[in-house]
């Protein structure tokens, strides 16, 4: 069994939206990481993933502060 992650998925969408959200989160002192299965698969030499299906993660301790940023800027 895998250990529980300290990160929680906040948003899934296009790279443009992800970069926009990362900028807003950083301005509030919230660090984030992204996961792009399509790009990872291509770099490894095999296909996989869905285009424009990039996942943005924040630490679970920052999730409560990060959720309104997504809701207020992408709704």
């Amino acid at each position: 069994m895998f250990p529980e992650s300290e990160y929680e998925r906040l948003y899934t969408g296009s790279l443009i939206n992800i970069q926009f959200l990362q900028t807003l989160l950083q301005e509030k002192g919230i660090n984030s990481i992204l996961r792009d299965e399509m790009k990872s698969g291509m770099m490894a030499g095999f296909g996989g993933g869905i285009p424009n299906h990039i996942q943005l993660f924040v630490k679970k301790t920052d999730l409560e502060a990060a959720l309104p940023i997504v809701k207020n800027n992408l709704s």
Side-chain angles (χ1 to χ4, degrees), residues 3 7 23 39-40 44-45 57 60 66:
Y7 289 91
T23 299
K39 185 175 180 180
S40 295
F57 291 84
K60 289 181 179 180

Side-chain angles (χ1 to χ4, degrees), residues 10 25 28 30 60-70:
L10 175 66
L25 292 167
K28 299 292 184 185
I30 301 171
K60 289 181 179 180
T61 55
D62 293 328
L63 187 61
E64 189 174 330
L67 282 171
I69 293 171
V70 173

Side-chain angles (χ1 to χ4, degrees), residues 25-60:
L25 292 167
Q26 190 63 43
E27 289 173 356
K28 299 292 184 185
I30 301 171
N31 292 320
S32 61
I33 57 173
L34 62 90
R35 182 174 177 181
D36 185 346
E37 296 286 340
M38 180 97 171
K39 185 175 180 180
S40 295
M42 289 183 350
M43 290 176 67
F46 56 89
I50 302 169
N52 288 318
H53 194 259
I54 302 167
Q55 298 176 336
L56 181 66
F57 291 84
V58 296
K59 286 190 173 183
K60 289 181 179 180

Side-chain angles (χ1 to χ4, degrees), residues 9-35:
R9 184 171 48 91
L10 175 66
Y11 176 80
T12 301
S14 70
L15 181 60
I16 293 171
N17 285 345
I18 295 288
Q19 290 174 331
F20 174 64
L21 289 173
Q22 281 187 306
T23 299
L24 295 175
L25 292 167
Q26 190 63 43
E27 289 173 356
K28 299 292 184 185
I30 301 171
N31 292 320
S32 61
I33 57 173
L34 62 90
R35 182 174 177 181

